[in-house]
Amino acid sequence: MIQFQNVSKVYPNGTIGLKNINLTIKPGEFVVIVGLSGAGKSTLLRSINRLHEITDGHILIDGKSITAAKGKELLRMRRDIGMIFQSFNLVKRSSVLRNVLSGRVGYHSTLRMLLGMFPQHDVDLALKALERVNIREKAFSRADELSGGQQQRVSIARALAQEAKIILADEPVASLDPLTTRQVMDDLKRINQELGITTIVNLHFIDLAREYATRIIGLRAGELVYDGPVAEATDEVFGQIYGRAIKQDELLGGAGH
Amino acid sequence: MKSATAAVRPPRTKLYVTVLILLAFLIGSAVQTDATVPELIRGIPEIARFIAEMFPPDWAFFQKIWKPMAETLQMSILGTLIGALFAYPLALLAARNVTKTPWLSVPARLIMNLCRTIPDLLYAALFAIIVGFGPTAGTLALVFFTFGILSKLAYESTEAIDPGPLEAMTAVGANKLKWIRFGVLPQVAPTYLAHLLYTFEISIRASSILGLVGAGGIGLLLKNTLDLFRYDQACSIVIYTLIVVIIIETVSTRFRTYLLKGGKGPASPARSRMFTILGIAVTLALLVWSLLGLKLTGFQPTWWQFTKAMFKGLFHPDWGYVYLPEGEDLLRNLLLTLSISYLGNIVSAIVCLPFAFWAAANMSRSRLVSGSGKLALSLVRTIPEVIMAIIFIKAVGPGPYAGVLALGLHSVGMLGKLYAEAIENMDMGPVEAMTAVGANRWKILAFAVVPQVIPEFLSYALYRFEINLRSATLLGMIGAGGIGTPLIFAINGRSWPRVGIILIGIVVTVSLIDYISGTLRKKIV
């Protein structure tokens, strides 16, 4: 369970990132955050694992405040939160397997990791994670030999190998074409359903949000303006979130159906 | 499908073999140069004592410094300008897009590359014998030295120009000279000028050490103070020289960026005309100052005989010297030189790592941290390896060990800078991802940073090895071991056939290593 308690973020230059957010996300939910670019989607997502710091309030994960966590405690909490990035953030020159294994570093001592010695159990786990996203056969290829969609699936596998209880995905499909977009979203959805991993995704395609989410959160200028089930998120609601009518480029369109 | 076969872990034999070979080289080099770890540790207190004696520097010594300092500058001004006079036409001759006839461009490139393989100190030693000790020899050495650098730079930028205007000039019916004047020159002029400034910067550094082999300038004074054990005076010479070098480099770099990137906004024709006139005036003033200031009278009447004897000897190399059963022959000295540069390289590649991370802006929160790291590196870098070598010779005694230390320390400055840039240029995405995974600083380093920068690091280290080898051939000339020692003996004893065979040995070794290293570097990146 993730709880936001009066969370605010003000940048040093005075810009408001988040404004008094109160939210509770229950285990196993598939939440999609929507909003214009600059509305604070990324800030909200990254404040959960503290890649971005908040200036006020508290964020609790399973009842424990990550906002107050320090040093090793913070690292330990991050270990349970997987993250998927728009630009994949893989080490392109390393093998796929090594990239997936890098999700396991939180489980072992620093010395052991500097030597790069992973136990067989980790390797098996990594290979299984790759199998789950259907790229087991690419395990020993270099990451940059893979297509964009495949690379994103490697980063999903990294989060799986991490044995994360929560997956944060920050615009996971923004650099992908429509077809691979659906494959990646399908993977995320399947993992969410099969393993019960709480999944929070930032998206700017409205139709994708409707198709995959169980719950939609709308942000506008750092403020929570909508929070509810998909069924209630009508075009009108989106119009309110965006402050205007939906544009064509905010729809992925029918590709892949 | 290939899936089943592709999922097998590829063998890592290649990696293990490479590491083994590198280690074998390392041990071999350490044995060759007597630079073992205990030996290194034993040298540390001596170096510390030596450094302690350098401080405080004798600031009053400035009165004796400024005259040879002026001579140093005059030599490099004159040398660079004369060198440039020959370099640009040769560059045009060598550029394949300007000179379409291979029987002109191929020999031009050959001359260019030949001039470049001979290092500054060697030119100086040769000219000191031919025309006698003094600034004349230094100026001549710098003419050839700058010619080599500048012609290569100009040639490369000439070959890279846009062929469009050339085609247009051909279509207009221009003859070859008009074609160059209106098609080529307008395109290359700013780059040519920037290269000239850059070469001038290098030539000042070179000029300050030429005195060590008797070719005038501040180097002679430095050698004298060291021989008299006045390390405080030597220290003030080094400091003053560095200040002058840094000031000139800063100004010159400013101009170079202006030339290549242009100022803010479009330059008005009146302003650029003013700059041109100002530039020409300053250059002329410097030229006159150099010509009046330098005592270019040292020409010995016998110089022609010497030159003849030298060329005759060079073309009849002493083949017997290649291998002598009792040792101290060409092959063993070359091997020693290789060992010195390899060991120096390894030392610097390891020592510079913490410096590189210290100096990389994306590895620390505060600019202050990385800024101070960059400053430390550039301070190390500004002291030429030859000066470092004579300092280390005084500290640990003459021999290859001093050479290793000099090369190692000097390369830290250069490699550290390149490494820091490689770190700054890497993709920060994986660092972010590893942070999100919950990795601490060391784990981030091991999984997000190191795998990204390793190929660049290796490539730069190899590149540095090529440069170190060139320096290592010189270091012997001032007593830091390797092939330079028999070379300077042969030059001073005027045994030209021996000089000839040593030169051949150096050129062959340097070219061979360049070739091997170049091939490896292409494979890495």
Side-chain angles (χ1 to χ4, degrees), chain B residues 122-143:
Chain B
L122 182 50
Y123 275 126
L126 288 176
F127 281 116
I129 294 294
I130 295 174
V131 303
F133 292 127
T136 318
T139 310
L140 281 172
L142 288 173
V143 167

Side-chain angles (χ1 to χ4, degrees), chain A residues 1-2 26-29 61-62 76-82 107 159-160 162-168 192 195-199:
Chain A
M1 193 158 69
I2 306 164
K26 289 193 282 296
E29 280 194 282
I61 290 160
D62 291 331
R76 177 68 184 70
M77 289 182 84
R78 277 181 178 158
R79 194 179 84 181
D80 293 336
I81 309 171
Y107 290 89
L160 287 178
Q162 197 181 330
E163 296 186 299
K165 298 184 182 71
I166 299 165
I167 286 182
L168 309 174
N192 165 254
L195 303 175
I197 299 176
T198 315
T199 308

Side-chain angles (χ1 to χ4, degrees), chain A residues 136-200:
Chain A
R136 164 76 172 76
E137 75 278 6
K138 299 284 184 197
F140 298 103
S141 309
R142 259 172 61 154
D144 56 3
E145 289 166 8
L146 272 58
S147 70
Q150 288 172 326
Q151 289 193 38
Q152 194 59 298
R153 280 189 264 166
V154 174
S155 74
I156 295 175
R158 177 169 59 193
L160 287 178
Q162 197 181 330
E163 296 186 299
K165 298 184 182 71
I166 299 165
I167 286 182
L168 309 174
D170 191 12
E171 300 281 5
V173 294
S175 1
L176 302 177
D177 61 67
L179 187 68
T180 40
T181 288
R182 285 194 190 279
Q183 288 171 350
V184 166
M185 288 306 295
D186 284 342
D187 278 334
L188 282 175
K189 184 78 185 171
R190 193 155 39 81
I191 287 157
N192 165 254
Q193 285 172 345
E194 288 176 9
L195 303 175
I197 299 176
T198 315
T199 308
I200 308 173

Side-chain angles (χ1 to χ4, degrees), chain B residues 205-418:
Chain B
R205 281 162 179 278
S207 172
S208 62
I209 55 165
L210 294 184
L212 294 173
V213 291
I218 194 95
L220 185 64
L221 189 65
L222 178 65
K223 189 170 185 281
N224 289 342
T225 55
L226 283 171
D227 287 344
L228 294 170
F229 303 105
R230 289 302 303 269
Y231 298 140
D232 53 338
Q233 292 180 347
C235 182
S236 62
I237 293 178
V238 171
I239 292 175
Y240 282 130
T241 312
L242 286 187
I243 292 174
V244 171
V245 168
I246 290 172
I247 290 174
I248 291 179
E249 282 197 1
T250 317
V251 174
S252 163
T253 313
R254 267 276 164 93
F255 277 120
R256 280 197 283 135
T257 357
Y258 177 78
L259 280 169
L260 293 179
K261 290 187 185 143
K264 283 173 194 146
S268 69
R271 229 181 106 178
S272 65
R273 167 150 300 201
M274 198 189 75
F275 271 124
T276 314
I277 293 172
L278 205 68
I280 293 174
V282 170
T283 314
L284 278 179
L286 286 174
L287 186 63
V288 170
W289 179 61
S290 306
L291 281 172
L292 293 178
L294 282 179
K295 292 192 188 65
L296 297 172
T297 48
F299 254 76
Q300 290 179 356
T302 47
W303 74 275
W304 178 237
Q305 270 102 326
F306 272 135
T307 315
K308 260 200 325 208
M310 189 179 85
F311 273 100
K312 201 169 158 234
L314 289 179
F315 286 113
H316 297 85
D318 175 8
W319 293 107
Y321 181 62
V322 174
Y323 179 79
L324 300 171
E326 63 269 30
E328 289 298 307
D329 55 14
L330 179 69
L331 285 179
R332 265 169 271 196
N333 269 305
L334 282 174
L335 193 65
L336 181 60
T337 309
L338 274 174
S339 301
I340 292 173
S341 40
Y342 183 72
L343 215 55
N345 220 51
I346 298 275
V347 168
S348 60
I350 294 168
V351 174
C352 82
L353 285 176
F355 282 95
F357 283 98
W358 176 20
N362 54 347
M363 285 292 110
S364 50
R365 290 237 177 82
S366 156
R367 284 267 151 184
L368 228 62
V369 176
S370 61
S372 61
K374 286 209 170 78
L375 189 71
L377 282 174
S378 69
L379 278 182
V380 175
R381 205 162 55 230
T382 31
I383 305 176
E385 60 259 70
V386 174
I387 294 198
M388 284 203 179
I390 54 171
I391 289 174
F392 280 122
I393 287 170
K394 288 292 165 191
V396 300
Y401 181 39
V404 170
L405 288 176
L407 280 184
L409 193 58
H410 180 71
S411 308
V412 165
M414 305 299 269
L415 261 189
K417 175 181 184 257
L418 291 172

Side-chain angles (χ1 to χ4, degrees), chain B residues 164-189:
Chain B
L166 306 182
E167 209 175 22
M169 286 316 293
T170 314
V172 180
N175 68 20
K176 197 74 193 181
L177 284 178
K178 290 176 191 161
W179 186 84
I180 290 173
R181 166 70 183 78
F182 291 95
V184 181
L185 288 189
Q187 288 197 65
V188 294

